[in-house]
mmCIF file of all heavy atoms in Angstrom:
data_model
loop_
_atom_site.group_PDB
_atom_site.id
_atom_site.type_symbol
_atom_site.label_atom_id
_atom_site.label_comp_id
_atom_site.label_asym_id
_atom_site.label_seq_id
_atom_site.Cartn_x
_atom_site.Cartn_y
_atom_site.Cartn_z
ATOM 1 N N ARG Z 86 0.931 -1.170 -0.010
ATOM 2 C CA ARG Z 86 0.026 -0.037 -0.011
ATOM 3 C C ARG Z 86 0.883 1.262 -0.005
ATOM 4 O O ARG Z 86 2.042 1.128 0.265
ATOM 5 C CB ARG Z 86 -0.912 -0.015 1.201
ATOM 6 C CG ARG Z 86 -0.144 0.193 2.537
ATOM 7 C CD ARG Z 86 -1.112 0.135 3.698
ATOM 8 N NE ARG Z 86 -0.422 0.321 4.945
ATOM 9 C CZ ARG Z 86 -0.996 0.077 6.157
ATOM 10 N NH1 ARG Z 86 -2.287 -0.331 6.276
ATOM 11 N NH2 ARG Z 86 -0.302 0.263 7.236
ATOM 12 N N THR Z 87 0.339 2.356 -0.417
ATOM 13 C CA THR Z 87 1.159 3.661 -0.470
ATOM 14 C C THR Z 87 1.423 4.059 0.983
ATOM 15 O O THR Z 87 0.625 4.003 1.882
ATOM 16 C CB THR Z 87 0.345 4.664 -1.161
ATOM 17 O OG1 THR Z 87 -0.967 4.871 -0.645
ATOM 18 C CG2 THR Z 87 0.190 4.376 -2.676
ATOM 19 N N THR Z 88 2.547 4.683 1.120
ATOM 20 C CA THR Z 88 2.947 5.426 2.329
ATOM 21 C C THR Z 88 2.299 6.810 2.194
ATOM 22 O O THR Z 88 1.757 7.175 1.103
ATOM 23 C CB THR Z 88 4.416 5.580 2.516
ATOM 24 O OG1 THR Z 88 4.952 6.181 1.330
ATOM 25 C CG2 THR Z 88 5.077 4.126 2.627
ATOM 26 N N GLY Z 89 2.565 7.673 3.182
ATOM 27 C CA GLY Z 89 2.119 9.073 3.132
ATOM 28 C C GLY Z 89 2.750 9.797 1.939
ATOM 29 O O GLY Z 89 2.112 10.449 1.196
ATOM 30 N N ALA Z 90 4.064 9.549 1.709
ATOM 31 C CA ALA Z 90 4.755 10.085 0.673
ATOM 32 C C ALA Z 90 4.305 9.591 -0.672
ATOM 33 O O ALA Z 90 4.256 10.269 -1.632
ATOM 34 C CB ALA Z 90 6.250 9.852 0.863
ATOM 35 N N GLY Z 91 4.024 8.353 -0.757
ATOM 36 C CA GLY Z 91 3.484 7.663 -1.918
ATOM 37 C C GLY Z 91 2.161 8.250 -2.380
ATOM 38 O O GLY Z 91 1.895 8.497 -3.526
ATOM 39 N N ALA Z 92 1.276 8.501 -1.377
ATOM 40 C CA ALA Z 92 0.005 9.094 -1.655
ATOM 41 C C ALA Z 92 0.116 10.500 -2.172
ATOM 42 O O ALA Z 92 -0.489 10.942 -3.150
ATOM 43 C CB ALA Z 92 -0.899 9.144 -0.381
ATOM 44 N N ALA Z 93 1.127 11.247 -1.654
ATOM 45 C CA ALA Z 93 1.408 12.583 -2.114
ATOM 46 C C ALA Z 93 1.924 12.558 -3.540
ATOM 47 O O ALA Z 93 1.531 13.461 -4.388
ATOM 48 C CB ALA Z 93 2.435 13.276 -1.222
ATOM 49 N N VAL Z 94 2.843 11.697 -3.798
ATOM 50 C CA VAL Z 94 3.421 11.529 -5.228
ATOM 51 C C VAL Z 94 2.274 11.175 -6.169
ATOM 52 O O VAL Z 94 2.201 11.633 -7.241
ATOM 53 C CB VAL Z 94 4.517 10.521 -5.227
ATOM 54 C CG1 VAL Z 94 4.955 10.123 -6.654
ATOM 55 C CG2 VAL Z 94 5.763 11.129 -4.562
ATOM 56 N N LEU Z 95 1.411 10.270 -5.690
ATOM 57 C CA LEU Z 95 0.339 9.794 -6.635
ATOM 58 C C LEU Z 95 -0.665 11.044 -6.892
ATOM 59 O O LEU Z 95 -1.001 11.193 -8.074
ATOM 60 C CB LEU Z 95 -0.484 8.686 -5.932
ATOM 61 C CG LEU Z 95 -1.654 8.110 -6.685
ATOM 62 C CD1 LEU Z 95 -1.284 7.622 -8.058
ATOM 63 C CD2 LEU Z 95 -2.330 7.006 -5.927
ATOM 64 N N ASP Z 96 -0.894 11.761 -5.886
ATOM 65 C CA ASP Z 96 -1.777 12.978 -6.046
ATOM 66 C C ASP Z 96 -1.130 13.936 -7.149
ATOM 67 O O ASP Z 96 -1.789 14.548 -7.924
ATOM 68 C CB ASP Z 96 -2.018 13.717 -4.804
ATOM 69 C CG ASP Z 96 -2.996 12.891 -3.925
ATOM 70 O OD1 ASP Z 96 -3.718 12.094 -4.441
ATOM 71 O OD2 ASP Z 96 -3.074 13.213 -2.688
ATOM 72 N N ALA Z 97 0.147 14.078 -6.977
ATOM 73 C CA ALA Z 97 0.961 15.007 -7.843
ATOM 74 C C ALA Z 97 0.858 14.511 -9.310
ATOM 75 O O ALA Z 97 0.755 15.276 -10.261
ATOM 76 C CB ALA Z 97 2.426 15.187 -7.371
ATOM 77 N N ALA Z 98 1.030 13.121 -9.508
ATOM 78 C CA ALA Z 98 0.993 12.576 -10.718
ATOM 79 C C ALA Z 98 -0.418 12.771 -11.374
ATOM 80 O O ALA Z 98 -0.532 12.985 -12.543
ATOM 81 C CB ALA Z 98 1.383 11.125 -10.671
ATOM 82 N N ASP Z 99 -1.403 12.588 -10.564
ATOM 83 C CA ASP Z 99 -2.782 12.762 -10.957
ATOM 84 C C ASP Z 99 -3.003 14.129 -11.527
ATOM 85 O O ASP Z 99 -3.607 14.421 -12.601
ATOM 86 C CB ASP Z 99 -3.802 12.464 -9.885
ATOM 87 C CG ASP Z 99 -3.949 11.049 -9.547
ATOM 88 O OD1 ASP Z 99 -3.505 10.154 -10.469
ATOM 89 O OD2 ASP Z 99 -4.401 10.619 -8.472
ATOM 90 N N ARG Z 100 -2.467 15.222 -10.694
ATOM 91 C CA ARG Z 100 -2.646 16.570 -11.130
ATOM 92 C C ARG Z 100 -1.825 16.843 -12.451
ATOM 93 O O ARG Z 100 -2.412 17.578 -13.360
ATOM 94 C CB ARG Z 100 -2.132 17.498 -10.043
ATOM 95 C CG ARG Z 100 -3.013 17.620 -8.818
ATOM 96 C CD ARG Z 100 -2.625 18.788 -7.983
ATOM 97 N NE ARG Z 100 -1.248 18.649 -7.474
ATOM 98 C CZ ARG Z 100 -0.977 18.076 -6.369
ATOM 99 N NH1 ARG Z 100 -1.840 17.453 -5.585
ATOM 100 N NH2 ARG Z 100 0.308 18.051 -5.968
ATOM 101 N N PHE Z 101 -0.748 16.136 -12.655
ATOM 102 C CA PHE Z 101 0.030 16.369 -13.857
ATOM 103 C C PHE Z 101 -0.716 15.908 -15.010
ATOM 104 O O PHE Z 101 -0.818 16.552 -16.099
ATOM 105 C CB PHE Z 101 1.369 15.765 -13.668
ATOM 106 C CG PHE Z 101 2.244 15.733 -14.849
ATOM 107 C CD1 PHE Z 101 2.899 16.972 -15.286
ATOM 108 C CD2 PHE Z 101 2.480 14.691 -15.697
ATOM 109 C CE1 PHE Z 101 3.642 16.995 -16.359
ATOM 110 C CE2 PHE Z 101 3.302 14.783 -16.831
ATOM 111 C CZ PHE Z 101 3.874 15.972 -17.109
ATOM 112 N N GLU Z 102 -1.274 14.668 -14.899
ATOM 113 C CA GLU Z 102 -2.005 14.064 -16.026
ATOM 114 C C GLU Z 102 -3.204 14.963 -16.375
ATOM 115 O O GLU Z 102 -3.574 15.144 -17.559
ATOM 116 C CB GLU Z 102 -2.394 12.691 -15.694
ATOM 117 C CG GLU Z 102 -1.163 11.689 -15.640
ATOM 118 C CD GLU Z 102 -1.660 10.235 -15.672
ATOM 119 O OE1 GLU Z 102 -2.802 9.944 -15.293
ATOM 120 O OE2 GLU Z 102 -0.814 9.392 -16.097
ATOM 121 N N ARG Z 103 -3.901 15.421 -15.390
ATOM 122 C CA ARG Z 103 -5.072 16.283 -15.592
ATOM 123 C C ARG Z 103 -4.638 17.565 -16.168
ATOM 124 O O ARG Z 103 -5.415 18.178 -17.012
ATOM 125 C CB ARG Z 103 -5.849 16.489 -14.222
ATOM 126 C CG ARG Z 103 -6.544 15.215 -13.768
ATOM 127 C CD ARG Z 103 -7.361 15.471 -12.500
ATOM 128 N NE ARG Z 103 -8.467 16.503 -12.705
ATOM 129 C CZ ARG Z 103 -9.602 16.187 -13.178
ATOM 130 N NH1 ARG Z 103 -9.872 14.970 -13.618
ATOM 131 N NH2 ARG Z 103 -10.573 17.076 -13.354
ATOM 132 N N SER Z 104 -3.541 18.119 -15.753
ATOM 133 C CA SER Z 104 -3.021 19.369 -16.422
ATOM 134 C C SER Z 104 -2.750 19.291 -17.802
ATOM 135 O O SER Z 104 -3.015 20.177 -18.629
ATOM 136 C CB SER Z 104 -1.826 19.840 -15.626
ATOM 137 O OG SER Z 104 -2.077 20.200 -14.255
ATOM 138 N N LEU Z 105 -2.165 18.074 -18.136
ATOM 139 C CA LEU Z 105 -1.834 17.845 -19.563
ATOM 140 C C LEU Z 105 -3.126 17.755 -20.429
ATOM 141 O O LEU Z 105 -3.263 18.343 -21.442
ATOM 142 C CB LEU Z 105 -1.050 16.487 -19.768
ATOM 143 C CG LEU Z 105 0.364 16.576 -19.287
ATOM 144 C CD1 LEU Z 105 1.017 15.167 -19.515
ATOM 145 C CD2 LEU Z 105 1.218 17.610 -19.969
ATOM 146 N N ALA Z 106 -4.097 17.065 -19.840
ATOM 147 C CA ALA Z 106 -5.478 16.965 -20.535
ATOM 148 C C ALA Z 106 -6.154 18.295 -20.632
ATOM 149 O O ALA Z 106 -6.630 18.656 -21.655
ATOM 150 C CB ALA Z 106 -6.349 15.943 -19.735
ATOM 151 N N ALA Z 107 -5.971 19.156 -19.595
ATOM 152 C CA ALA Z 107 -6.557 20.419 -19.570
ATOM 153 C C ALA Z 107 -5.868 21.320 -20.557
ATOM 154 O O ALA Z 107 -6.540 22.177 -21.357
ATOM 155 C CB ALA Z 107 -6.536 21.121 -18.221
ATOM 156 N N ALA Z 108 -4.492 21.307 -20.665
ATOM 157 C CA ALA Z 108 -3.817 22.099 -21.632
ATOM 158 C C ALA Z 108 -4.204 21.823 -23.069
ATOM 159 O O ALA Z 108 -4.276 22.672 -23.848
ATOM 160 C CB ALA Z 108 -2.269 21.873 -21.464
ATOM 161 N N ASP Z 109 -4.449 20.507 -23.297
ATOM 162 C CA ASP Z 109 -4.889 20.149 -24.686
ATOM 163 C C ASP Z 109 -6.331 20.680 -24.931
ATOM 164 O O ASP Z 109 -6.610 21.200 -26.015
ATOM 165 C CB ASP Z 109 -4.819 18.622 -24.813
ATOM 166 C CG ASP Z 109 -5.118 18.172 -26.179
ATOM 167 O OD1 ASP Z 109 -4.463 18.605 -27.187
ATOM 168 O OD2 ASP Z 109 -6.121 17.311 -26.409
ATOM 169 N N ARG Z 110 -7.203 20.459 -23.996
ATOM 170 C CA ARG Z 110 -8.630 20.830 -24.025
ATOM 171 C C ARG Z 110 -8.736 22.369 -24.173
ATOM 172 O O ARG Z 110 -9.503 22.815 -25.057
ATOM 173 C CB ARG Z 110 -9.422 20.324 -22.909
ATOM 174 C CG ARG Z 110 -10.825 20.692 -22.939
ATOM 175 C CD ARG Z 110 -11.634 20.154 -21.721
ATOM 176 N NE ARG Z 110 -11.607 18.731 -21.649
ATOM 177 C CZ ARG Z 110 -12.653 17.979 -22.193
ATOM 178 N NH1 ARG Z 110 -13.686 18.607 -22.708
ATOM 179 N NH2 ARG Z 110 -12.593 16.726 -22.182
ATOM 180 N N LEU Z 111 -7.963 23.061 -23.396
ATOM 181 C CA LEU Z 111 -8.086 24.553 -23.347
ATOM 182 C C LEU Z 111 -7.219 25.340 -24.342
ATOM 183 O O LEU Z 111 -7.080 26.565 -24.278
ATOM 184 C CB LEU Z 111 -7.793 25.137 -21.974
ATOM 185 C CG LEU Z 111 -8.992 25.197 -20.978
ATOM 186 C CD1 LEU Z 111 -9.451 23.769 -20.670
ATOM 187 C CD2 LEU Z 111 -8.499 25.877 -19.611
ATOM 188 N N LYS Z 112 -6.604 24.510 -25.281
ATOM 189 C CA LYS Z 112 -5.629 25.191 -26.250
ATOM 190 C C LYS Z 112 -6.236 26.425 -26.901
ATOM 191 O O LYS Z 112 -5.496 27.460 -26.947
ATOM 192 C CB LYS Z 112 -5.218 24.202 -27.216
ATOM 193 C CG LYS Z 112 -4.018 24.562 -28.120
ATOM 194 C CD LYS Z 112 -3.589 23.483 -29.060
ATOM 195 C CE LYS Z 112 -3.126 22.304 -28.219
ATOM 196 N NZ LYS Z 112 -2.653 21.171 -29.107
ATOM 197 N N PRO Z 113 -7.501 26.433 -27.383
ATOM 198 C CA PRO Z 113 -8.036 27.661 -28.067
ATOM 199 C C PRO Z 113 -8.087 28.804 -27.066
ATOM 200 O O PRO Z 113 -7.858 29.958 -27.556
ATOM 201 C CB PRO Z 113 -9.404 27.237 -28.512
ATOM 202 C CG PRO Z 113 -9.349 25.743 -28.568
ATOM 203 C CD PRO Z 113 -8.428 25.306 -27.474
ATOM 204 N N LEU Z 114 -8.381 28.572 -25.816
ATOM 205 C CA LEU Z 114 -8.532 29.628 -24.789
ATOM 206 C C LEU Z 114 -7.048 30.118 -24.485
ATOM 207 O O LEU Z 114 -6.904 31.284 -24.266
ATOM 208 C CB LEU Z 114 -9.219 29.123 -23.593
ATOM 209 C CG LEU Z 114 -9.312 30.140 -22.478
ATOM 210 C CD1 LEU Z 114 -10.299 31.267 -22.785
ATOM 211 C CD2 LEU Z 114 -9.739 29.398 -21.135
ATOM 212 N N LEU Z 115 -6.206 29.226 -24.278
ATOM 213 C CA LEU Z 115 -4.844 29.554 -23.757
ATOM 214 C C LEU Z 115 -4.056 30.485 -24.697
ATOM 215 O O LEU Z 115 -3.009 31.081 -24.363
ATOM 216 C CB LEU Z 115 -4.039 28.276 -23.375
ATOM 217 C CG LEU Z 115 -4.541 27.404 -22.259
ATOM 218 C CD1 LEU Z 115 -3.708 26.173 -22.092
ATOM 219 C CD2 LEU Z 115 -4.519 28.281 -20.987
#
């Protein structure tokens, strides 16, 4: 199971993937 640090890294990776998806989606706006 994830440690506290592992959970934090997982959250950061989730945000990164969502940021990439958002950057692609919001390209006309950006």
Side-chain angles (χ1 to χ4, degrees):
R86 67 183 180 191
T87 55
T88 62
V94 166
L95 179 57
D96 288 342
D99 287 342
R100 287 195 299 274
F101 178 72
E102 290 193 340
R103 289 181 63 82
S104 294
L105 290 180
D109 186 57
R110 180 182 291 268
L111 270 64
K112 192 176 297 182
L114 176 73
L115 294 174

